[in-house]
Amino acid sequence: MFAAVFEDNYRTKGLRRNLVKQIENKGIRDTRVLEAINNVPRHYFFDQALLEHAYQDKAFPIGEGQTISQPYTVAFQTELLEVEPGNKILEIGTGSGYQACILLELGAKVITIEYQKKLYEQTRKVLPKMGYNATFLQGDGSQGVPRHAPFDRIIVTAGAPIVPKPLIEQLKVGGILVIPVGDNQRQKMVKVKKIEENKISKKEYDLFSFVPLKGKHGWGN
Ligand code: SAM
């Protein structure tokens, strides 16, 4: 995982434009999200020998049994999140850091938490070298991160059995949570809006297939 040298050239920029077209054809309409996908060199997250995989609209293994999400899925979740510049966003499931880069491109302040120590160590070292600066944490994100709460937005990039209550509690009023919820095979994308302190709205979208959310409010250890 991760390219040895971070170099973005004519070829990789062209491949990325094609990827953006594919995602647009699948229904992503938010031009800011498409622009963010166009700006983040996804091949930086791949070994040089795997360059051709970087610009296919597919998830890809990143080690430790985890994946870098499919670009369309990243775009779908990001569009639902309605990111505004300056938003404080909690991402649960740092993985490769690709989704965090997309949120940073949109002008957000990103706090991202990863369960697996090795992935956390790798990603927190590499992202700043690519020019992306977030707050990296290690631990069980299914409980949120109370010491950094409240958040304008929360995005969960692993499949949960339920919408964890602490995540709703840690959202600001007017805030949005996007989380895949279902069994450990398939999950519906769910968007939760916190309308008032004790009132939420909830909308369900398409089915996706994420790796399981671990931890207390996930599928356990
Ligand atoms: N957002 C990632 C990216 O852009 O590459 C993709 C994430 S991958 C589909 C899901 C990640 O969630 C995995 O790295 C996994 O270890 C992590 N994860 C699972 N349960 C977690 C938890 N309770 N807290 C934090 N991270 C968790």
Side-chain angles (χ1 to χ4, degrees):
M1 193 176 80
F2 295 120
V5 184
F6 298 136
E7 191 201 327
D8 197 20
N9 57 31
Y10 185 76
R11 181 171 171 233
T12 48
K13 283 180 183 159
L15 289 169
R16 202 153 63 245
R17 272 197 296 277
N18 285 341
L19 174 67
V20 170
K21 279 252 155 359
Q22 282 181 54
I23 292 172
E24 204 176 353
N25 290 340
K26 289 180 182 171
I28 301 299
R29 289 287 165 264
D30 188 329
T31 50
R32 288 182 61 237
V33 173
L34 293 169
E35 210 179 296
I37 301 271
N38 197 43
N39 286 346
V40 180
R42 192 167 185 258
H43 64 284
Y44 287 2
F45 297 82
F46 289 68
D47 193 276
Q48 206 101 17
L50 300 168
L51 178 75
E52 64 192 88
H53 293 273
Y55 292 113
Q56 292 174 0
D57 189 21
K58 286 184 185 156
F60 201 82
I62 56 172
E64 308 303 305
Q66 302 303 327
T67 53
I68 176 170
S69 298
Q70 183 181 350
Y72 170 73
T73 306
V74 171
F76 192 92
Q77 285 199 282
T78 309
E79 189 169 62
L80 288 184
L81 209 58
E82 298 177 31
V83 178
E84 289 166 17
N87 276 171
K88 182 162 78 165
I89 304 188
L90 173 64
E91 180 198 21
I92 297 162
T94 312
S96 68
Y98 177 69
Q99 171 76 71
C101 294
I102 299 291
L103 299 173
L104 289 165
E105 283 284 344
L106 289 166
K109 293 185 189 105
V110 179
I111 294 152
T112 180
I113 181 164
E114 170 57 48
Y115 194 82
Q116 302 226 20
K117 278 205 178 87
K118 209 166 153 189
L119 279 179
Y120 155 77
E121 289 291 355
Q122 272 178 358
T123 304
R124 89 183 164 101
K125 279 184 200 140
V126 175
L127 248 61
K129 291 186 188 156
M130 296 179 189
Y132 291 105
N133 292 298
T135 301
F136 296 96
L137 305 171
Q138 194 270 319
D140 174 15
S142 78
Q143 306 183 54
V145 184
R147 70 181 186 281
H148 285 282
F151 302 100
D152 297 294
R153 305 283 187 266
I154 300 178
I155 177 170
V156 183
T157 66
I162 48 153
V163 178
K165 215 170 146 208
L167 301 189
I168 294 173
E169 286 165 0
Q170 291 171 37
L171 259 189
K172 284 184 192 169
V173 170
I176 297 172
L177 160 68
V178 175
I179 178 169
V181 179
D183 58 29
N184 52 15
Q185 303 287 322
R186 308 190 106 200
Q187 306 89 25
K188 270 192 181 154
M189 197 60 74
V190 177
K191 176 175 179 172
V192 177
K193 247 186 176 173
K194 189 159 175 176
I195 298 165
E196 291 166 16
E197 202 45 60
N198 290 309
K199 192 173 171 192
I200 58 163
S201 70
K202 207 166 155 187
K203 205 168 165 196
E204 293 181 348
Y205 296 84
D206 300 356
L207 279 169
F208 289 86
S209 184
F210 281 81
V211 296
L213 180 74
K214 298 199 169 161
K216 188 174 171 191
H217 299 278
W219 295 96
N221 305 319

